[in-house]
Amino acid sequence: MASEDITKLAESLAKTKVGGGQLSFKGQSLKLNTAEDAEEVIKQIEEFDGLEALRLEGNTVGVEAAKVIAKALEKKSELKRCHWSDMFTGRLRSEIPPALISLGDALITAGAQLVELDLSDNAFGPDGVRGFEALLKSPACYTLQELKLNNCGMGIGGGKILAAALKECHRKSSAQGKPLALKIFVAGRNRLENDGATALAEAFGIIGTLEEVHMPQNGINHPGITALAQAFAINPLLRVINLNDNTFTEKGAVAMAETLKALRQIEVINFGDCLVRSKGAVALADAVKEGLHKLKELNLSFCEIKRDAALTVAEAIEDKGELEKLDLNGNCLGEEGCEQLQEILEGFSMAAVLGSLSDDEGEEEEDEEEEEDEDEEEEEEEEEQQQLKERGQGEQESLTPKKIIDSQDSTPVPSPPVDVATFLAFPSPEKLLRLGPKCSVLIAQQTDTSDVEKVVTTLLRISSVFKDEAPVKTAVHETIDALMRKAFTSATFNSDAFITSLLIHMGLLKSEEKIKAVPSLYGILMTLNYMVQQDYFPKSLAPVLSAFVTKPNRALDSCSFARHMLLQTLHQL
């Protein structure tokens, strides 16, 4: 390490905050790659008597540096709190698991008894969970009260590994007479989906001591919500439930409402942007009305709730003396409905608790409501059928409407054939796989790569079915390779026009034409993360892409893991 680098590091460490058993290197942007880089950090750890909390967030720690830091921690038996969020900035995903294993092994060796473990904002994915799996199962975590894993990209696989580790920790700690008593669980923005949420719900039901659960933005639909609701019912001390930006629909909302009737300590309910809709809102209002006397905050914003249902919610809070905030913004009340809502609350002398209604969507017509209900029923039916297919619990004939099956014909109905046009019109992972091993060739052949708009549209359709599962991921990557290699190697293809059109369709660049942005950026971001690494991708486009993906954007914020992965890859090009 150069002398000027050592001087800079020393100056940074001079600002280290020490006190109350805590040693903090928070936000110092230390780049610790080698053992030599970490010498000053190690020195401070070794010289700190009674170390109870170590803050490493906001730095970047490599494998070799992690090993020597771990060696210093092996003698710190009093360590209780590990604030280790955002400590692998710019690292390859493959570097993170071994670094975590070294640090975890050190805590086990030291005989530490952790109270808090925060690994949020580390994009380690499913493999990263393996990095601290042994730690979670060890005596070092029998005393764990707070586990924070926000924005780590765990996915379904990581969620299942985590759930199994928590169950094992509870089993082992119970055998020693001191069961794991986890109080706070945070795992937002992790793409857990139904299977990951269901696995964790099983662990929650076993633990039974949770007080706060934060799992926003995880792509959880009503089966996963229902599983969580059943688990929450076995955690009577729950005070905070934050499931913002998942998809309840009526079924999930009704299940959660039944659970809320059994809970007595609830203070915060955040179901904003969860599509509970009117029937779900009424069910939740009924639960609020029956109890929840400690309720301080109720968020049902952006849930497609109509006027009458919203008024029912308002009436339900009449005797909630501790309520501080009611958020019904972004629903469908209309101007008159907003006025009625305010009048009801004024009648209770509770107008002050109502949040802004500035983003109200306006009252919808009756025929639109009926159409919406029909759409919801169709969506839920398709979702249930898909789950049966994935889990192998249903025969093909049970998934086909009975009216098109001859009751005397027991022959299974074959799956309808899929062609490229069908896939592109209504893309799904299953249809892509059913196109067969030549799907990449077929799609590339049938796409006019001289037409930039057609290439962008096809790219977005393919990427929309991306899943972090081997068969689907491989099919997506192979199809993207065939399409984009053909496009970028064509003499008539305009790369600049392509990136401009793509950014417009992603909602990152404004256009004079009214072009609707794709509903989710997760698939295209993960696909771009792969695509930009291929030899056919023009490296001249990387700075443009990086500039726009870096800008503040709500849609990008909701896919922070995928965004981080792409930016990290672009930075390394």
Coordinates of all heavy atoms in Angstrom, one line a residue, residues 437-509:
P437 N -35.9 -26.6 -27.6 CA -34.5 -26.3 -27.6 C -34.1 -25.3 -28.7 O -33.0 -24.7 -28.7 CB -33.8 -27.6 -27.8 CG -34.8 -28.5 -28.4 CD -36.1 -28.1 -27.8
K438 N -35.0 -25.2 -29.7 CA -34.7 -24.3 -30.8 C -35.4 -22.9 -30.7 O -35.5 -22.1 -31.6 CB -35.1 -24.9 -32.2 CG -34.3 -26.1 -32.5 CD -34.6 -26.6 -33.9 CE -33.8 -27.8 -34.3 NZ -34.2 -28.3 -35.7
C439 N -35.8 -22.6 -29.4 CA -36.6 -21.4 -29.2 C -35.8 -20.1 -29.6 O -36.3 -19.2 -30.2 CB -37.1 -21.3 -27.8 SG -35.8 -21.2 -26.5
S440 N -34.5 -20.2 -29.2 CA -33.6 -19.0 -29.5 C -33.5 -18.8 -31.0 O -33.6 -17.6 -31.5 CB -32.3 -19.2 -28.9 OG -31.6 -20.4 -29.4
V441 N -33.3 -19.8 -31.8 CA -33.2 -19.7 -33.2 C -34.5 -19.2 -33.8 O -34.5 -18.3 -34.7 CB -32.8 -21.0 -33.8 CG1 -32.7 -21.0 -35.4 CG2 -31.4 -21.5 -33.3
L442 N -35.6 -19.8 -33.4 CA -36.9 -19.5 -33.9 C -37.3 -18.0 -33.7 O -37.7 -17.3 -34.7 CB -38.0 -20.4 -33.3 CG -38.0 -21.8 -33.6 CD1 -39.0 -22.6 -32.8 CD2 -38.3 -22.1 -35.1
I443 N -37.0 -17.5 -32.5 CA -37.4 -16.1 -32.2 C -36.5 -15.2 -33.0 O -36.9 -14.2 -33.5 CB -37.3 -15.8 -30.7 CG1 -38.4 -16.6 -30.0 CG2 -37.4 -14.3 -30.4 CD1 -38.4 -16.5 -28.5
A444 N -35.2 -15.5 -33.1 CA -34.3 -14.6 -33.8 C -34.6 -14.6 -35.3 O -34.6 -13.5 -36.0 CB -32.8 -15.1 -33.6
Q445 N -35.0 -15.8 -35.9 CA -35.3 -15.8 -37.3 C -36.6 -15.0 -37.6 O -36.7 -14.4 -38.7 CB -35.5 -17.3 -37.7 CG -34.3 -18.1 -37.8 CD -34.6 -19.6 -38.1 OE1 -35.7 -20.1 -38.0 NE2 -33.5 -20.3 -38.6
Q446 N -37.5 -15.0 -36.7 CA -38.8 -14.4 -36.9 C -38.9 -12.9 -36.5 O -39.9 -12.3 -36.5 CB -39.9 -15.2 -36.3 CG -40.1 -16.6 -36.9 CD -41.3 -17.3 -36.3 OE1 -42.3 -16.8 -36.1 NE2 -41.1 -18.6 -36.1
T447 N -37.7 -12.4 -36.1 CA -37.7 -10.9 -35.7 C -36.9 -10.2 -36.7 O -35.7 -10.5 -37.0 CB -37.0 -10.8 -34.3 OG1 -37.7 -11.6 -33.3 CG2 -37.0 -9.3 -33.9
D448 N -37.5 -9.1 -37.3 CA -36.9 -8.3 -38.2 C -35.9 -7.3 -37.5 O -36.3 -6.3 -36.9 CB -37.9 -7.5 -39.0 CG -37.3 -6.5 -40.0 OD1 -36.1 -6.6 -40.2 OD2 -38.1 -5.7 -40.6
T449 N -34.6 -7.7 -37.5 CA -33.7 -6.9 -36.8 C -33.3 -5.6 -37.4 O -32.5 -4.8 -36.8 CB -32.4 -7.7 -36.5 OG1 -31.9 -8.2 -37.8 CG2 -32.6 -8.9 -35.6
S450 N -33.8 -5.3 -38.6 CA -33.6 -4.0 -39.2 C -34.6 -3.0 -38.6 O -34.4 -1.7 -38.7 CB -33.8 -4.0 -40.7 OG -35.2 -4.3 -41.0
D451 N -35.6 -3.5 -37.9 CA -36.6 -2.6 -37.2 C -36.2 -2.5 -35.7 O -36.5 -3.5 -35.0 CB -38.0 -3.2 -37.4 CG -39.1 -2.3 -36.9 OD1 -38.8 -1.5 -35.9 OD2 -40.2 -2.4 -37.4
V452 N -35.7 -1.4 -35.3 CA -35.2 -1.2 -33.9 C -36.4 -1.5 -32.9 O -36.2 -2.1 -31.9 CB -34.6 0.2 -33.7 CG1 -34.4 0.5 -32.2 CG2 -33.3 0.3 -34.4
E453 N -37.5 -0.9 -33.2 CA -38.7 -1.1 -32.3 C -39.1 -2.5 -32.1 O -39.4 -2.9 -31.0 CB -39.9 -0.3 -32.8 CG -39.8 1.2 -32.6 CD -39.7 1.6 -31.1 OE1 -40.6 1.0 -30.3 OE2 -38.8 2.3 -30.7
K454 N -39.0 -3.3 -33.2 CA -39.4 -4.7 -33.0 C -38.3 -5.5 -32.2 O -38.7 -6.3 -31.4 CB -39.5 -5.4 -34.4 CG -40.8 -5.0 -35.1 CD -40.9 -5.7 -36.5 CE -42.2 -5.4 -37.2 NZ -42.3 -6.1 -38.5
V455 N -37.1 -5.1 -32.3 CA -36.0 -5.7 -31.5 C -36.2 -5.4 -30.1 O -36.1 -6.3 -29.2 CB -34.6 -5.3 -32.0 CG1 -33.5 -5.8 -31.1 CG2 -34.4 -5.8 -33.4
V456 N -36.5 -4.1 -29.8 CA -36.7 -3.7 -28.4 C -37.9 -4.4 -27.8 O -37.8 -4.9 -26.6 CB -36.8 -2.2 -28.3 CG1 -37.3 -1.7 -26.9 CG2 -35.5 -1.5 -28.6
T457 N -39.0 -4.4 -28.5 CA -40.2 -5.1 -28.0 C -40.0 -6.5 -27.7 O -40.4 -7.1 -26.7 CB -41.3 -4.9 -29.0 OG1 -41.6 -3.5 -29.3 CG2 -42.6 -5.6 -28.5
T458 N -39.3 -7.2 -28.7 CA -39.0 -8.7 -28.5 C -38.1 -8.9 -27.3 O -38.3 -9.8 -26.5 CB -38.3 -9.2 -29.7 OG1 -39.2 -9.0 -30.9 CG2 -38.1 -10.7 -29.6
L459 N -37.1 -8.0 -27.2 CA -36.1 -8.1 -26.0 C -36.9 -8.0 -24.7 O -36.7 -8.8 -23.7 CB -35.1 -7.0 -26.1 CG -34.2 -6.8 -24.9 CD1 -33.4 -8.0 -24.6 CD2 -33.3 -5.6 -25.1
L460 N -37.8 -7.0 -24.6 CA -38.6 -6.8 -23.4 C -39.5 -8.0 -23.1 O -39.7 -8.3 -21.9 CB -39.4 -5.5 -23.5 CG -38.5 -4.2 -23.5 CD1 -39.3 -3.0 -23.9 CD2 -37.9 -4.0 -22.1
R461 N -40.1 -8.5 -24.1 CA -41.0 -9.7 -23.9 C -40.2 -10.9 -23.4 O -40.7 -11.6 -22.5 CB -41.7 -10.0 -25.3 CG -42.6 -9.0 -25.8 CD -43.9 -8.8 -24.9 NE -44.7 -7.7 -25.3 CZ -45.6 -7.7 -26.3 NH1 -45.8 -8.8 -26.9 NH2 -46.4 -6.7 -26.5
I462 N -39.1 -11.1 -24.0 CA -38.2 -12.3 -23.5 C -37.8 -12.0 -22.1 O -37.9 -12.9 -21.2 CB -37.0 -12.4 -24.4 CG1 -37.5 -12.8 -25.8 CG2 -36.1 -13.6 -23.9 CD1 -36.3 -12.7 -26.9
S463 N -37.3 -10.8 -21.8 CA -36.7 -10.6 -20.4 C -37.8 -10.5 -19.4 O -37.5 -10.8 -18.2 CB -36.0 -9.2 -20.4 OG -36.9 -8.1 -20.7
S464 N -39.1 -10.3 -19.8 CA -40.2 -10.3 -18.8 C -40.4 -11.6 -18.1 O -41.0 -11.6 -17.0 CB -41.5 -9.8 -19.4 OG -42.0 -10.8 -20.3
V465 N -40.0 -12.7 -18.7 CA -40.2 -14.0 -18.1 C -39.0 -14.5 -17.3 O -38.9 -15.7 -16.9 CB -40.6 -15.0 -19.2 CG1 -41.8 -14.5 -20.0 CG2 -39.4 -15.4 -20.1
F466 N -38.0 -13.6 -17.2 CA -36.7 -14.0 -16.5 C -37.0 -14.5 -15.1 O -37.8 -13.9 -14.3 CB -35.7 -12.9 -16.4 CG -34.5 -13.2 -15.7 CD1 -33.4 -13.7 -16.3 CD2 -34.4 -13.0 -14.3 CE1 -32.2 -14.1 -15.6 CE2 -33.2 -13.3 -13.6 CZ -32.2 -13.9 -14.3
K467 N -36.4 -15.6 -14.7 CA -36.5 -16.2 -13.4 C -35.1 -16.7 -13.0 O -34.3 -17.2 -13.9 CB -37.5 -17.4 -13.3 CG -38.9 -17.0 -13.1 CD -39.8 -18.2 -12.8 CE -41.2 -17.8 -12.5 NZ -42.0 -19.0 -12.1
D468 N -34.8 -16.6 -11.7 CA -33.5 -17.1 -11.3 C -33.5 -18.6 -11.1 O -33.1 -19.1 -10.0 CB -33.1 -16.4 -10.0 CG -31.6 -16.4 -9.7 OD1 -30.8 -16.7 -10.7 OD2 -31.2 -16.2 -8.6
E469 N -34.0 -19.3 -12.0 CA -34.1 -20.8 -12.0 C -33.4 -21.3 -13.3 O -33.6 -20.7 -14.4 CB -35.5 -21.3 -12.0 CG -36.3 -20.8 -10.7 CD -37.8 -21.1 -10.8 OE1 -38.2 -21.8 -11.8 OE2 -38.5 -20.7 -9.8
A470 N -32.6 -22.3 -13.1 CA -31.7 -22.7 -14.2 C -32.3 -22.8 -15.6 O -31.9 -22.3 -16.6 CB -30.9 -23.9 -13.8
P471 N -33.4 -23.6 -15.7 CA -34.0 -23.8 -17.1 C -34.4 -22.5 -17.7 O -34.2 -22.3 -18.9 CB -35.1 -24.8 -16.8 CG -34.8 -25.4 -15.5 CD -34.1 -24.4 -14.7
V472 N -35.2 -21.7 -16.9 CA -35.7 -20.5 -17.5 C -34.6 -19.5 -17.8 O -34.6 -18.9 -18.8 CB -36.7 -19.9 -16.5 CG1 -37.3 -18.5 -17.1 CG2 -37.9 -20.8 -16.3
K473 N -33.7 -19.3 -16.8 CA -32.6 -18.4 -17.0 C -31.8 -18.7 -18.3 O -31.4 -17.9 -19.1 CB -31.7 -18.4 -15.8 CG -30.5 -17.4 -15.9 CD -29.4 -17.6 -14.8 CE -29.9 -17.3 -13.4 NZ -28.8 -17.3 -12.5
T474 N -31.5 -20.0 -18.4 CA -30.7 -20.5 -19.6 C -31.4 -20.2 -20.9 O -30.8 -19.7 -21.9 CB -30.4 -22.0 -19.5 OG1 -29.6 -22.2 -18.3 CG2 -29.6 -22.5 -20.7
A475 N -32.7 -20.5 -20.9 CA -33.5 -20.2 -22.1 C -33.6 -18.8 -22.4 O -33.4 -18.4 -23.6 CB -35.0 -20.8 -21.9
V476 N -33.7 -17.9 -21.4 CA -33.7 -16.5 -21.7 C -32.4 -16.0 -22.2 O -32.3 -15.3 -23.2 CB -34.1 -15.7 -20.3 CG1 -33.8 -14.2 -20.5 CG2 -35.5 -15.9 -20.0
H477 N -31.3 -16.4 -21.6 CA -30.0 -16.0 -22.0 C -29.7 -16.5 -23.4 O -29.1 -15.7 -24.3 CB -28.9 -16.6 -21.1 CG -28.9 -15.9 -19.7 ND1 -28.1 -16.4 -18.7 CD2 -29.6 -14.8 -19.3 CE1 -28.3 -15.6 -17.6 NE2 -29.2 -14.6 -18.0
E478 N -30.0 -17.7 -23.8 CA -29.7 -18.2 -25.1 C -30.6 -17.5 -26.2 O -30.1 -17.2 -27.3 CB -30.0 -19.7 -25.2 CG -29.0 -20.6 -24.4 CD -29.4 -22.1 -24.4 OE1 -30.5 -22.4 -24.9 OE2 -28.6 -22.9 -23.9
T479 N -31.8 -17.2 -25.8 CA -32.7 -16.5 -26.8 C -32.2 -15.0 -27.0 O -32.2 -14.5 -28.1 CB -34.1 -16.5 -26.3 OG1 -34.5 -17.8 -26.0 CG2 -35.1 -15.9 -27.3
I480 N -31.8 -14.4 -25.9 CA -31.2 -13.0 -26.0 C -30.0 -13.0 -26.8 O -29.7 -12.1 -27.6 CB -31.0 -12.5 -24.6 CG1 -32.3 -12.2 -23.8 CG2 -30.1 -11.2 -24.6 CD1 -33.2 -11.2 -24.5
D481 N -29.1 -14.0 -26.6 CA -27.9 -14.1 -27.4 C -28.1 -14.2 -28.9 O -27.5 -13.5 -29.7 CB -27.1 -15.4 -26.9 CG -26.3 -15.2 -25.6 OD1 -26.1 -14.0 -25.2 OD2 -25.9 -16.2 -25.0
A482 N -29.1 -15.1 -29.2 CA -29.4 -15.2 -30.7 C -30.0 -14.0 -31.3 O -29.6 -13.5 -32.4 CB -30.3 -16.4 -30.8
L483 N -30.9 -13.3 -30.6 CA -31.5 -12.1 -31.1 C -30.6 -11.0 -31.2 O -30.5 -10.3 -32.2 CB -32.7 -11.8 -30.1 CG -33.4 -10.4 -30.4 CD1 -34.1 -10.5 -31.8 CD2 -34.4 -10.1 -29.3
M484 N -29.9 -10.7 -30.1 CA -29.1 -9.5 -30.0 C -27.8 -9.6 -30.8 O -27.2 -8.7 -31.3 CB -28.8 -9.1 -28.6 CG -30.0 -8.8 -27.8 SD -31.2 -7.7 -28.6 CE -30.2 -6.2 -28.9
R485 N -27.2 -10.8 -30.9 CA -26.1 -11.0 -31.8 C -26.4 -10.8 -33.2 O -25.7 -10.1 -34.0 CB -25.5 -12.5 -31.6 CG -24.2 -12.7 -32.3 CD -23.7 -14.1 -32.1 NE -23.5 -14.4 -30.7 CZ -22.4 -14.1 -30.1 NH1 -21.4 -13.5 -30.7 NH2 -22.2 -14.5 -28.8
K486 N -27.6 -11.2 -33.6 CA -28.1 -11.0 -35.0 C -28.3 -9.5 -35.2 O -27.9 -9.0 -36.3 CB -29.4 -11.7 -35.2 CG -30.0 -11.5 -36.6 CD -31.4 -12.2 -36.7 CE -32.0 -11.9 -38.0 NZ -33.4 -12.4 -38.1
A487 N -28.8 -8.8 -34.2 CA -29.1 -7.4 -34.4 C -27.8 -6.6 -34.4 O -27.6 -5.8 -35.4 CB -30.0 -6.9 -33.2
F488 N -27.0 -6.7 -33.5 CA -25.8 -5.9 -33.4 C -24.8 -6.2 -34.5 O -23.9 -5.3 -34.8 CB -25.1 -6.1 -32.0 CG -25.8 -5.4 -30.9 CD1 -26.2 -6.1 -29.7 CD2 -26.1 -4.0 -30.9 CE1 -26.8 -5.4 -28.7 CE2 -26.8 -3.4 -29.9 CZ -27.1 -4.1 -28.8
T489 N -24.8 -7.3 -35.1 CA -23.9 -7.6 -36.2 C -24.4 -7.3 -37.5 O -23.7 -7.4 -38.6 CB -23.5 -9.1 -36.2 OG1 -24.7 -9.9 -36.2 CG2 -22.7 -9.5 -34.9
S490 N -25.7 -6.8 -37.5 CA -26.3 -6.4 -38.8 C -25.8 -5.0 -39.2 O -25.8 -4.1 -38.4 CB -27.8 -6.4 -38.7 OG -28.4 -5.8 -39.8
A491 N -25.5 -4.8 -40.4 CA -25.0 -3.5 -40.9 C -26.1 -2.4 -40.9 O -25.8 -1.2 -40.8 CB -24.4 -3.6 -42.3
T492 N -27.3 -2.9 -40.9 CA -28.4 -1.9 -41.0 C -29.0 -1.6 -39.6 O -29.9 -0.7 -39.5 CB -29.6 -2.5 -41.8 OG1 -30.0 -3.7 -41.2 CG2 -29.1 -2.7 -43.2
F493 N -28.4 -2.2 -38.5 CA -29.0 -2.0 -37.2 C -28.3 -0.7 -36.5 O -27.1 -0.6 -36.5 CB -28.7 -3.2 -36.3 CG -29.4 -3.1 -35.0 CD1 -30.8 -3.3 -34.9 CD2 -28.7 -3.0 -33.8 CE1 -31.4 -3.3 -33.6 CE2 -29.3 -2.9 -32.6 CZ -30.7 -3.1 -32.5
N494 N -29.2 0.2 -36.0 CA -28.7 1.4 -35.4 C -28.7 1.2 -33.9 O -29.7 1.3 -33.2 CB -29.7 2.6 -35.8 CG -29.1 3.9 -35.3 OD1 -28.5 4.0 -34.3 ND2 -29.4 4.9 -36.1
S495 N -27.5 1.1 -33.3 CA -27.3 0.8 -31.9 C -27.7 2.0 -31.1 O -28.3 1.8 -30.0 CB -25.8 0.5 -31.6 OG -25.4 -0.7 -32.3
D496 N -27.5 3.2 -31.5 CA -27.9 4.4 -30.8 C -29.4 4.5 -30.7 O -30.0 4.8 -29.6 CB -27.3 5.7 -31.4 CG -25.8 5.7 -31.3 OD1 -25.3 5.1 -30.3 OD2 -25.1 6.4 -32.1
A497 N -30.1 4.2 -31.8 CA -31.5 4.2 -31.8 C -32.1 3.1 -30.9 O -33.1 3.3 -30.2 CB -32.1 4.1 -33.2
F498 N -31.4 2.0 -30.8 CA -31.8 0.9 -30.0 C -31.8 1.3 -28.5 O -32.7 1.1 -27.8 CB -30.9 -0.3 -30.2 CG -31.0 -1.4 -29.1 CD1 -32.0 -2.2 -29.1 CD2 -30.0 -1.4 -28.1 CE1 -32.1 -3.2 -28.1 CE2 -30.1 -2.4 -27.1 CZ -31.1 -3.3 -27.1
I499 N -30.6 1.8 -28.0 CA -30.5 2.2 -26.6 C -31.5 3.3 -26.2 O -32.1 3.3 -25.1 CB -29.1 2.6 -26.2 CG1 -28.9 2.5 -24.7 CG2 -28.7 3.9 -26.7 CD1 -28.9 1.1 -24.2
T500 N -31.8 4.2 -27.1 CA -32.7 5.3 -26.9 C -34.1 4.7 -26.7 O -34.9 5.0 -25.8 CB -32.7 6.3 -28.0 OG1 -31.4 6.9 -28.2 CG2 -33.8 7.4 -27.8
S501 N -34.5 3.8 -27.6 CA -35.9 3.2 -27.6 C -36.0 2.4 -26.3 O -37.0 2.4 -25.7 CB -36.1 2.4 -28.8 OG -37.3 1.7 -28.8
L502 N -34.9 1.6 -26.0 CA -35.0 0.8 -24.8 C -35.2 1.6 -23.5 O -36.0 1.2 -22.7 CB -33.7 -0.1 -24.7 CG -33.6 -1.0 -23.5 CD1 -34.7 -2.0 -23.5 CD2 -32.2 -1.7 -23.5
L503 N -34.5 2.7 -23.4 CA -34.6 3.6 -22.2 C -36.0 4.2 -22.1 O -36.6 4.3 -21.1 CB -33.5 4.7 -22.3 CG -32.1 4.2 -22.1 CD1 -31.1 5.3 -22.4 CD2 -31.9 3.7 -20.7
I504 N -36.6 4.5 -23.3 CA -38.0 5.0 -23.3 C -38.9 4.0 -22.8 O -39.8 4.2 -22.0 CB -38.3 5.5 -24.7 CG1 -37.5 6.8 -25.1 CG2 -39.8 5.8 -24.8 CD1 -37.7 7.2 -26.5
H505 N -38.8 2.8 -23.3 CA -39.7 1.7 -22.9 C -39.5 1.3 -21.5 O -40.5 0.8 -20.8 CB -39.5 0.5 -23.8 CG -40.2 0.6 -25.2 ND1 -41.5 0.2 -25.4 CD2 -39.7 1.0 -26.4 CE1 -41.8 0.4 -26.6 NE2 -40.7 0.9 -27.3
M506 N -38.4 1.5 -20.9 CA -38.1 1.2 -19.5 C -38.6 2.4 -18.6 O -38.5 2.3 -17.4 CB -36.6 1.0 -19.3 CG -36.1 -0.3 -19.9 SD -34.3 -0.4 -19.8 CE -34.0 -0.6 -18.0
G507 N -39.0 3.5 -19.2 CA -39.5 4.6 -18.4 C -38.4 5.5 -17.9 O -38.6 6.3 -17.0
L508 N -37.2 5.4 -18.5 CA -36.0 6.1 -18.0 C -35.7 7.3 -18.8 O -34.9 8.1 -18.5 CB -34.8 5.2 -17.9 CG -35.0 3.9 -17.1 CD1 -33.6 3.1 -17.1 CD2 -35.4 4.2 -15.7
L509 N -36.4 7.4 -20.0 CA -36.2 8.5 -20.9 C -37.6 9.0 -21.5 O -38.4 8.1 -21.9 CB -35.3 8.1 -22.0 CG -34.9 9.2 -23.1 CD1 -34.1 10.3 -22.4 CD2 -34.1 8.5 -24.2

